[in-house]
């Protein structure tokens, strides 16, 4: 994390496989946020391996409580999902379902928070379809999806064998997404 006064960007997503393409993309985006003076917190893999959300069962695991607490404090949210069969993963959807616990907050759900979206799939059809679903979910949670969402076709050579991002177009898009999330978060902090 960087300076304690910059906007807090909370990211969640990925898969249960450590260092998945989606996790790499989220980390790259958060690195760009930090370079621009924002603070970051990432929830991926085991962090979002939560019991199936049940609105009628108020008990929450420590992981679920940490996630919701972070989302309450966030000035912006970035969500990344793999495209599984043309849709967001169950892991990511279940984690997002926990936002229902914020339904009675003074700031309901993610009201007026910027919402960045990243999807990774082996093919453009699933990548773009998944990105669209993430944007719709953001709207349903009263967030503001950024103008740019990043769809990554994992069938392309995006990462080198060591896991470093080598596709300059994807890198530029993730950097732009970070900039858009921070610009809106800073603007909202001034006017709120």
């Amino acid at each position: 994390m960087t300076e304690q006064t910059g906007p807090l960007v909370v990211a969640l997503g990925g898969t249960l496989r450590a260092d998945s393409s989606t996790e790499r993309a989220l980390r790259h985006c958060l690195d760009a946020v930090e370079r621009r003076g924002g603070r970051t917190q990432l929830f991926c893999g085991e962090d979002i391996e939560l019991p199936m959300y049940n609105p009628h069962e108020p008990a929450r695991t420590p992981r679920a409580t940490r996630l919701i607490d972070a989302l309450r404090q966030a000035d912006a949210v970035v969500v990344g999902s793999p495209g599984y069969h043309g849709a967001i993963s169950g892991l990511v959807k279940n984690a997002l379902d926990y936002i229902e616990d914020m339904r009675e907050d003074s700031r309901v759900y993610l009201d007026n928070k910027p919402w960045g979206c990243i999807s990774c799939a082996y093919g453009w059809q699933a990548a773009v379809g998944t990105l669209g679903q993430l944007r719709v979910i953001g709207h349903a949670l009263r967030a503001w999806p950024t103008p740019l969402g990043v769809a990554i076709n994992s069938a392309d050579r995006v990462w080198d064998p060591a896991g470093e991002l080598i596709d300059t177009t994807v890198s530029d898009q993730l950097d732009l997404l970070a900039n858009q999330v921070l610009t809106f978060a800073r603007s909202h902090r001034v006017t709120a």
Side-chain angles (χ1 to χ4, degrees):
M1 283 200 234
T2 59
E3 68 177 86
Q4 296 302 312
T5 59
L8 174 62
V9 178
V10 172
L12 70 98
T15 71
L16 291 177
R17 181 175 56 87
D19 201 36
S20 67
S21 294
T22 308
E23 182 179 330
R24 290 176 189 167
L26 286 167
R27 288 185 187 283
H28 184 92
C29 185
L30 291 183
D31 287 346
V33 165
E34 289 180 0
R35 287 192 306 273
R36 290 168 172 81
R39 297 175 294 130
T40 64
Q41 194 168 2
L42 175 62
F43 293 85
C44 59
E46 289 182 1
D47 300 328
I48 59 172
E49 186 177 13
L50 305 170
M52 288 301 295
Y53 179 73
N54 180 351
H56 306 293
E57 173 54 56
R60 296 290 176 250
T61 65
R63 284 182 187 164
T65 300
R66 278 192 301 276
L67 174 63
I68 293 304
D69 287 347
L71 290 168
R72 281 187 171 117
Q73 295 172 28
D75 296 300
V77 177
V78 177
V79 179
S81 178
Y84 288 168
H85 309 289
I88 69 169
S89 72
L91 179 73
V92 172
K93 178 63 169 76
N94 186 56
L96 293 173
D97 286 345
Y98 275 83
I99 296 173
E100 183 64 20
D101 285 0
M102 299 166 63
R103 69 187 169 276
E104 294 180 14
D105 289 6
S106 59
R107 185 178 195 171
V108 178
Y109 302 131
L110 301 173
D111 190 44
N112 282 319
K113 292 186 184 189
W115 172 269
C117 303
I118 301 169
S119 68
C120 295
Y122 199 82
W124 285 114
Q125 183 175 349
V128 172
T130 301
L131 182 65
Q133 290 174 349
L134 289 172
R135 295 175 69 79
V136 168
I137 291 168
H139 283 279
L141 293 172
R142 303 182 186 184
W144 288 87
T146 56
L148 176 71
V150 181
I152 300 171
N153 181 356
S154 300
D156 292 341
R157 191 162 186 267
V158 179
W159 315 97
D160 71 12
E164 294 298 315
L165 181 58
I166 58 172
D167 186 310
T168 57
T169 300
V170 171
S171 179
D172 290 347
Q173 289 177 349
L174 292 170
D175 289 352
L176 179 55
L177 178 63
N179 189 55
Q180 288 181 354
V181 165
L182 277 176
T183 298
F184 184 69
R186 286 184 172 122
S187 172
H188 186 69
R189 287 175 94 192
V190 169
T191 60

